Amino acid sequence: MIRLANINDAHNVYTLIQDTILAIYGEFYSADEVKFFLDLHNEAAIEKDIKEEKVYVLTDGKCILATCTLEGNHILRLFVDKAHLRKGYGREMLDYVESRAFEEYEECVLDTSTPAKEFYTAMGYVAIGEEKIEIKSGVLMKYEIMKKNNRSDI
């Protein structure tokens, strides 16, 4: 079941995201970059987005299996619990938030991490640009911006 997250979910969403970053991102990023992601997805930011009704969770009735944040047509913070990867939960969550966004917008956009790029490409997203962000003095990190058009009218 996918639903809006409530404030009681905040710590579990935070833990899921932090655990997934720690388990996976080290294969793709330096220690400084991993720290950047951990800091970016802090508990206060998650609580703020939950209060603004931007965070969704996919649950099995007991546990949160995946989460995603939707700001207008911008998809953020899609994470699947590391114990439940490759079971279709990321696809299910993405399909859900896309359908919400496509009710009002012609396209969805997202900033992709290296580990997720292949997934988003398989889901129909195309790269439209590259950005760099300074994660600490003199250390730049690249990421890609991707988009997907609403093809329901074709």
Side-chain angles (χ1 to χ4, degrees), residues 39-51 55 77:
D39 292 345
L40 177 67
H41 300 298
N42 63 72
E43 197 160 3
I46 292 165
E47 288 176 0
K48 176 184 174 292
D49 287 344
I50 287 174
K51 289 175 185 173
V55 180
R77 210 185 284 133

Side-chain angles (χ1 to χ4, degrees), residues 106 149-154:
E106 291 301 312
N149 290 322
N150 182 359
R151 301 282 186 205
S152 65
D153 57 342
I154 296 176

